[in-house]
Amino acid sequence: MSYKIAIASGKGGTGKTTVSVNLQKAIASELTSGVLLADCDVEEPNDRIFFSDATIISEEEVHQMVPEIDTDKCTFCRKCVEYCEFNAIVVLPPAGFAEVNTSLCHSCGACSVACQDGAINEKPVPVGEITRMDTGIGAGLTEGNLKVGSAMQTLMIKELKKSITEDYDVVLYDAPPGTSCPVVETVADVDYVVLVTEPTPFGLNDLMLMVELLVNLDKPLGLS
């Protein structure tokens, strides 16, 4: 079973990625080569630029299942609109119009439950890709890269973590900045969190928010 460590911060620009890649190099050289670095900052992954000898092993496209409304079967009852918590569905009965906004849909399946006419089917929509690499130092690197314009950061991070099937001794998660849902998803199953901050009022404020989040999640933490 892998020991999982997240490297996080309340804001961007604190040096979180620098700590992440150097921690992996230290573990690989001093403890075990069975250490994987997963870049969970899926909107702007940049861990790979620190490894000049990194080579791509595989690439995998990630899809989101998005509902599609068949207007030939739809009775325009608007039940799907009422069930949708994300305002992703537009139904205009007078115009015979029904459509799902893929950028707002969270694939929760509520609309399919609401529809009694069999008018809703799901189709796969690409939201990004997962790339696996050899760092050149005998350790692994994997990153999630979200498609531009997609709001499915949390989904990408879930799929990135699920893609780690090999049994590593240590898995390091380079978390996205902030304290929102993508960060919560990143740290949800870790054993320890390393927080990286900077000596500024903004850094202290955002650090306090991150500490409060981790205390609520009952996660042990340390400060870098």
Side-chain angles (χ1 to χ4, degrees):
M1 181 179 293
S2 302
Y3 190 82
K4 299 174 183 177
I5 303 172
I7 299 87
S9 63
K11 64 184 292 294
T14 62
K16 173 176 54 62
T17 295
T18 301
V19 171
S20 299
V21 297
N22 279 285
L23 182 57
Q24 186 196 34
K25 289 180 180 179
I27 292 174
S29 61
E30 301 294 334
L31 298 175
T32 174
S33 60
V35 52
L36 174 72
L37 176 58
D39 194 342
C40 298
D41 188 1
V42 297
E43 289 185 273
E44 195 174 1
N46 62 352
D47 285 6
R48 72 160 78 184
I49 68 174
F50 289 84
F51 300 96
S52 58
D53 295 327
T55 55
I56 295 176
I57 298 173
S58 65
E59 293 178 305
E60 173 189 345
E61 195 168 52
V62 175
H63 295 88
Q64 172 194 9
M65 297 305 294
V66 176
E68 188 175 43
I69 302 175
D70 184 347
T71 52
D72 291 332
K73 296 180 179 179
C74 181
T75 59
F76 306 99
C77 66
R78 292 181 54 84
K79 286 183 180 179
C80 56
V81 176
E82 296 169 5
Y83 268 57
C84 183
E85 292 289 334
F86 305 100
N87 298 314
I89 304 175
V90 177
V91 176
L92 303 175
F97 179 86
E99 188 174 272
V100 178
N101 186 328
T102 57
S103 64
L104 295 177
C105 176
H106 282 60
S107 302
C108 66
C111 57
S112 297
V113 173
C115 183
Q116 302 298 311
D117 305 307
I120 296 180
N121 296 299
E122 292 185 326
K123 63 176 181 179
V125 175
V127 295
E129 64 180 15
I130 294 170
T131 305
R132 299 175 185 84
M133 289 163 275
D134 183 331
T135 60
I137 64 169
L141 172 64
T142 184
E143 71 174 22
N145 198 337
L146 190 70
K147 186 178 179 181
V148 175
S150 174
M152 295 296 105
Q153 299 96 326
T154 302
L155 173 63
M156 270 298 304
I157 294 170
K158 282 183 179 179
E159 294 301 315
L160 174 63
K161 293 168 72 174
K162 284 168 57 178
S163 73
I164 303 173
T165 55
E166 188 175 338
D167 189 19
Y168 292 91
D169 295 319
V170 181
V171 176
L172 303 175
Y173 294 142
D174 184 4
T179 56
S180 58
C181 294
V183 176
V184 174
E185 175 59 37
T186 301
V187 305
D189 62 343
V190 301
D191 301 294
Y192 194 81
V193 181
V194 176
L195 294 179
V196 184
T197 188
E198 60 185 17
T200 66
F202 292 109
L204 177 60
N205 176 76
D206 293 337
L207 173 65
M208 292 171 64
L209 293 175
M210 193 67 198
V211 170
E212 182 180 357
L213 170 66
L214 295 176
V215 168
N216 288 334
L217 295 174
D218 196 26
K219 295 294 178 182
L221 59 96
L223 181 62
S224 172

